[in-house]
Amino acid sequence: VLSALVKSVYWKATHCRIWPADAGTVVLYDMHQNKIRTIYAHSGQIYAVDVCGDELITVGKDDKLLKCWEADSNEPSHSCAVPMGIISAAICDKQQRKILLVNEDGKAEICSFSKDHIERIRTLTGGDFRIAFGRLANLTRSAYDFRLTPAIRTFILQKGK
């Protein structure tokens, strides 16, 4: 199974598709004007790009910062430090500003974030929350879909072994 490691996100406030590029930059493709612009977001690689309401959220691997960006700005509106070892992040509740963070060991935490602080709410139980690649990647990914009943999830995981 082939899959891209980088997924673009749509930032409605700017009408742009967004994805991380080399050396800490983020590419913004304006779909209405057919224009591309880049912003220097982090020192070093970027692990995550997501949208929270009207803000773009980026998480840097090397600088260990979560940054929030407003539309049409080349500078973050605010930033805060993320815990050590974070390799992935995704917004899980836009209204309450909650983010899912996954570390190098595959452990996942739900955190709330504000302009200058990230606070752990809870650690998710379970095994490894890193992405699986290979022949059974889609089955494994489906098994963690919380809309599935526990019996179906168990069946899919057993078939994947």
Side-chain angles (χ1 to χ4, degrees):
V1 174
L2 295 175
S3 178
L5 288 174
V6 176
K7 304 282 187 202
S8 67
V9 297
Y10 179 68
W11 188 8
K12 186 177 180 179
T14 62
H15 306 290
C16 290
R17 297 294 304 173
I18 314 291
W19 62 92
D22 291 335
T25 59
V26 175
V27 175
L28 296 91
Y29 170 64
D30 187 318
M31 298 165 52
H32 294 282
Q33 298 180 13
N34 197 27
K35 291 184 179 178
I36 294 176
R37 73 180 176 110
T38 59
I39 56 175
Y40 179 74
H42 292 273
S43 59
Q45 294 303 310
I46 297 173
Y47 263 140
V49 174
D50 209 346
V51 175
C52 184
D54 289 338
E55 290 181 309
L56 177 68
I57 307 296
T58 61
V59 179
K61 174 188 175 195
D62 297 333
D63 62 13
K64 298 171 186 63
L65 291 174
L66 178 147
K67 295 183 179 183
C68 300
W69 306 80
E70 294 177 0
D72 301 321
S73 174
N74 289 332
E75 297 294 326
S77 57
H78 50 276
S79 65
C80 56
V82 295
M84 191 77 154
I86 295 301
I87 63 166
S88 186
I91 302 301
C92 57
D93 186 329
K94 293 176 184 177
Q95 286 72 35
Q96 295 185 21
R97 298 183 67 84
K98 291 182 183 173
I99 191 166
L100 173 70
L101 300 174
V102 178
N103 70 18
E104 294 167 332
D105 296 327
K107 302 296 182 208
E109 298 177 334
I110 302 282
C111 301
S112 63
F113 66 97
S114 62
K115 290 189 177 208
D116 61 356
H117 183 70
I118 290 181
E119 183 177 336
R120 180 182 311 132
I121 296 171
R122 70 182 176 110
T123 300
L124 299 181
T125 58
D128 195 337
F129 286 89
R130 292 173 289 188
I131 293 175
F133 291 94
R135 184 176 65 80
L136 298 171
N138 289 334
L139 283 177
T140 304
R141 199 170 16 252
S142 296
Y144 287 103
D145 184 342
F146 294 126
R147 292 172 291 173
L148 296 176
T149 66
I152 294 171
R153 190 168 38 250
T154 300
F155 174 78
I156 291 172
L157 287 173
Q158 289 174 345
K159 287 291 185 186
K161 290 183 179 179

